Amino acid sequence: AQDPFTKDEL
Amino acid sequence: MNLFRLLGDMTHLLSIVVLLLKIRTVKSCAGISLKTQELYVIVFLTRYLDLFTKYYSVYNTAMKLVFLGTSIGIVWYMRYHKVVKQTYSKDEDTFKHYFLILLSIILALLIHRAFDVIEVLWTFSLYLEAVAILPQLVLLQKSRNIDTLTGDYVFLLGAYRALYILNWVYRFLMENHKFRWIPWISGLVQTALYADFFYYYIKSWKNREKLKLPA
């Protein structure tokens, strides 16, 4: 599961 | 992905395109801080460690590769290209950027969300990015005349993180309602550092005059 602070940003 | 973040990433990409355009067409990196460019390589290397371990989307992976590739390419151009390296303002690019790296490492070791290598390095990359523009801004103040492409490059670079702040507001309100203090405060500091540059850039644009920063 994605950690709550997803690092999907650049 | 929301519009603010997409606009932010496109503005960031555009800033790099403008810089590459300047270096490749004019074959000159006068007025560009090599130290800031080196800091950006470190920012991308330490932020994109999950490049091969986590997959979010084609877009995410592609952009990470573009940012890594272009930032390394720019440093290579400024350091090793026979023509371009002659135009580097070596004597004016004097900011002690190693302090910025040291301070960011110390801060990341003190303030982070989790004490594991990836998280601490990711946090370090956010702190470093916030201050990475300082050598460039100092160099601009020393430059007598700032050429248009250099001014546009710095403006776009500052604007991208301002758009990211809007993206964080949007995501907080519409998505996960979670506080992300570290990226938010780093992003606010980063954007604030551009404040006076934005003022002079917009003034020079409105008055149709050459961009000049007070010494």
Side-chain angles (χ1 to χ4, degrees):
Chain A
Q2 296 249 13
D3 65 332
F5 298 80
T6 50
K7 305 267 190 327
D8 61 347
E9 293 176 353
L10 292 170
Chain B
M1 167 69 84
N2 60 67
L3 183 65
F4 299 115
R5 184 142 65 96
L6 185 63
L7 279 179
D9 290 340
M10 290 306 109
T11 304
H12 192 186
L13 187 61
L14 188 58
S15 75
I16 293 168
V17 167
V18 164
L19 180 55
L20 276 172
L21 200 72
K22 168 191 160 68
I23 293 179
R24 284 183 58 83
T25 46
V26 187
K27 282 280 179 287
S28 158
C29 63
I32 300 296
S33 165
L34 173 59
K35 299 184 173 190
T36 285
Q37 299 309 317
E38 288 169 348
L39 292 179
Y40 279 130
V41 171
I42 298 169
V43 166
F44 292 135
L45 286 175
T46 50
R47 186 167 309 171
Y48 299 156
L49 290 170
D50 62 355
L51 179 62
F52 300 112
T53 55
K54 278 195 187 158
Y55 174 80
Y56 296 100
S57 66
V58 173
Y59 172 85
N60 188 274
T61 304
M63 291 297 278
K64 284 175 177 175
L65 289 170
V66 166
F67 287 156
L68 274 166
T70 50
S71 59
I72 292 167
I74 286 164
V75 168
W76 179 86
Y77 254 112
M78 293 184 70
R79 273 185 173 278
Y80 305 112
H81 187 280
K82 58 188 179 306
V83 175
V84 172
K85 73 179 182 181
Q86 314 292 343
T87 63
Y88 167 45
S89 336
K90 188 176 175 55
D91 308 334
E92 293 171 318
D93 194 11
T94 56
F95 198 97
K96 305 222 179 318
H97 64 320
Y98 295 114
F99 277 131
L100 298 177
I101 299 172
L102 186 67
L103 287 176
S104 303
I105 290 176
I106 292 168
L107 197 59
L109 289 170
L110 292 175
I111 306 173
H112 45 260
R113 233 178 43 76
F115 195 69
D116 67 68
V117 174
I118 300 284
E119 187 69 25
V120 171
L121 284 175
W122 178 76
T123 308
F124 161 72
S125 81
L126 285 167
Y127 295 151
L128 187 62
E129 187 189 1
V131 294
I133 198 63
L134 284 172
Q136 179 62 64
L137 290 176
V138 166
L139 180 56
L140 287 184
Q141 280 179 334
K142 291 180 181 171
S143 312
R144 274 157 307 290
N145 64 332
I146 301 165
D147 68 70
T148 320
L149 284 175
T150 304
D152 295 342
Y153 163 67
V154 176
F155 175 76
L156 290 165
L157 201 49
Y160 116 80
R161 213 61 179 170
L163 287 163
Y164 251 73
I165 291 170
L166 297 180
N167 150 66
W168 290 324
V169 171
Y170 176 88
R171 292 192 89 175
F172 177 78
L173 296 177
M174 311 297 276
E175 285 175 25
N176 52 12
H177 304 279
K178 285 203 167 38
F179 289 95
R180 297 160 51 100
W181 294 117
I182 292 177
W184 292 355
I185 292 173
S186 308
L188 281 168
V189 167
Q190 179 169 336
T191 307
L193 289 177
Y194 286 82
D196 70 325
F197 173 84
F198 282 149
Y199 170 76
Y200 289 108
Y201 180 87
I202 291 165
K203 199 173 80 163
S204 79
W205 176 71
K206 265 199 300 200
N207 305 348
R208 303 218 182 303
E209 66 195 12
K210 201 89 175 120
L211 174 60
K212 184 87 189 79
L213 296 184

